[in-house]
Amino acid sequence: MEINLSPRRLWNAARKVVAGLPLGGEAVWPGLRNDLFVAHESIYRYAARWAPACRILDAACGTGYGSHLLACSGARSVLGVDREPRRVRFASRRYSHAALSFRVEDCERLDLSPGAFELVVSSNTLEHLAEPEAFLRGVAGALGAAGQLLVAMPPVLSDADLREHACNPHHLSNLSVRGWGELFRREGWQFEYLSHRCAKPLDFHSFRASRVTSEDFAFVGEALEAAYATPPITALFRLRRER
């Protein structure tokens, strides 16, 4: 395997160490606003339309930029949780808002009060969990009667995609887009599917500052099968508990 030791990669790694963040993993951070970061940020900007007056859980909040964005969008409260203590410490130091708090917690073992939230956001998390069902059940108890869960994950659409993600040591649950839909139904969730798309070309391996903005991304509500015809950047599901 070829190891990329470009000056930009080394410089970014050094800056993360100085910031107190772990190397490796897949969490983006605000110190590098490249195409990958802006694509992730656009998911939170989409979620922010439901933020006003909501109690929100940002599950697997990473470096906390999305939690802060939700808090600044008028949320009543935002709790960001992540199992990596160094990311939680970074988020707590960097972001301050009266509605915002962070704590260390494992998304497969959530300790949440019943009905504590109206909105749960979890971006690019479920594929990192060995038991995504445990997360879904924990969230179900914490959502109020009218609450919703917004989850995003890589669009696995083919056998080649499955093989690629199986080689990623951080991806423990590599379901296809159809497979996630089936899992959600089995766990008692209704959902709307959305494709995350961008009209401009993107380079997720670049270490250069991005020229795209969150406004360049769209979230298109469509049938699951549409993802297979035109692959999206990310697969998004808006979920509610079946009544």
Side-chain angles (χ1 to χ4, degrees):
M1 179 178 65
E2 183 180 353
I3 299 176
N4 185 339
L5 295 178
S6 69
R8 286 182 181 274
R9 179 178 288 274
L10 291 171
W11 176 238
N12 183 56
R15 292 171 62 233
K16 289 182 76 173
V17 170
V18 170
L21 289 168
L23 296 178
E26 294 189 319
V28 299
W29 75 300
L32 180 63
R33 290 189 59 85
N34 59 357
D35 285 356
L36 183 61
F37 180 90
V38 177
H40 279 268
E41 184 181 56
S42 71
I43 295 170
Y44 281 100
R45 292 200 181 278
Y46 174 74
R49 66 186 62 191
W50 294 285
C54 269
R55 296 169 297 165
I56 303 174
L57 173 67
D58 183 10
C61 65
T63 53
Y65 65 93
S67 305
H68 184 250
L69 191 157
L70 294 169
C72 292
S73 299
R76 177 178 169 189
S77 65
V78 179
L79 171 62
V81 302
D82 200 277
R83 63 185 176 188
E84 170 49 67
R86 286 169 290 182
R87 293 190 183 115
V88 172
R89 284 197 296 270
F90 173 89
S92 299
R93 289 195 305 266
R94 182 173 180 107
Y95 298 110
S96 178
H97 192 283
L100 180 61
S101 60
F102 296 99
R103 76 179 186 222
V104 177
E105 192 154 346
D106 188 334
C107 284
E108 290 178 287
R109 297 171 178 81
L110 291 171
D111 182 16
L112 304 170
S113 301
F117 302 99
E118 286 90 30
L119 174 64
V120 176
V121 179
S122 199
S123 177
N124 290 274
T125 303
L126 271 64
E127 70 273 16
H128 292 260
L129 305 180
E131 298 181 55
E133 299 90 345
F135 168 75
L136 293 170
R137 292 165 192 169
V139 166
L143 275 174
Q148 66 172 327
L149 166 62
L150 180 66
V151 295
M153 65 277 293
V156 175
L157 303 167
S158 66
D159 290 341
D161 289 342
L162 282 170
R163 289 192 294 271
E164 177 184 348
H165 286 276
C167 292
N168 185 330
H170 305 292
H171 290 189
L172 305 179
S173 292
N174 297 309
L175 301 183
S176 67
V177 171
R178 292 189 189 104
W180 284 116
E182 291 167 1
L183 173 63
F184 297 145
R185 291 189 186 99
R186 287 199 305 272
E187 290 296 319
W189 297 84
Q190 299 173 330
F191 65 79
E192 174 190 0
Y193 170 75
L194 302 103
S195 285
H196 181 203
R197 303 189 184 279
C198 185
K200 295 183 178 179
L202 302 169
D203 181 358
F204 286 165
H205 300 289
S206 172
F207 282 79
R208 297 182 182 278
S210 181
R211 294 184 178 181
V212 299
T213 69
S214 294
E215 287 69 33
D216 293 317
F217 293 85
F219 296 85
V220 184
E222 53 193 16
L224 281 179
E225 298 308 311
Y228 291 83
T230 309
I233 301 165
T234 314
L236 229 76
F237 291 83
R238 283 181 60 203
L239 302 109
R240 295 183 186 274
R241 294 294 290 169
E242 291 181 349
R243 303 299 175 199

PDB file of all heavy atoms in Angstrom, residues 30 116 156:
ATOM      1  N   PRO A  30     -12.230  21.382  11.598  1.00  0.00           N
ATOM      2  CA  PRO A  30     -12.342  22.711  10.998  1.00  0.00           C
ATOM      3  C   PRO A  30     -11.012  23.341  10.639  1.00  0.00           C
ATOM      4  O   PRO A  30     -10.988  24.385   9.969  1.00  0.00           O
ATOM      5  CB  PRO A  30     -13.061  23.525  12.086  1.00  0.00           C
ATOM      6  CG  PRO A  30     -12.754  22.803  13.356  1.00  0.00           C
ATOM      7  CD  PRO A  30     -12.701  21.358  12.992  1.00  0.00           C
ATOM      8  N   ALA A 116     -36.002  12.902  25.637  1.00  0.00           N
ATOM      9  CA  ALA A 116     -35.100  14.034  25.899  1.00  0.00           C
ATOM     10  C   ALA A 116     -34.862  14.923  24.687  1.00  0.00           C
ATOM     11  O   ALA A 116     -34.433  16.073  24.846  1.00  0.00           O
ATOM     12  CB  ALA A 116     -33.756  13.511  26.414  1.00  0.00           C
ATOM     13  N   VAL A 156     -23.336   2.802  -0.446  1.00  0.00           N
ATOM     14  CA  VAL A 156     -22.854   1.509  -0.941  1.00  0.00           C
ATOM     15  C   VAL A 156     -23.897   0.990  -1.922  1.00  0.00           C
ATOM     16  O   VAL A 156     -25.036   0.697  -1.543  1.00  0.00           O
ATOM     17  CB  VAL A 156     -22.636   0.521   0.222  1.00  0.00           C
ATOM     18  CG1 VAL A 156     -22.257  -0.854  -0.305  1.00  0.00           C
ATOM     19  CG2 VAL A 156     -21.549   1.052   1.150  1.00  0.00           C
TER      20      VAL A 156
END
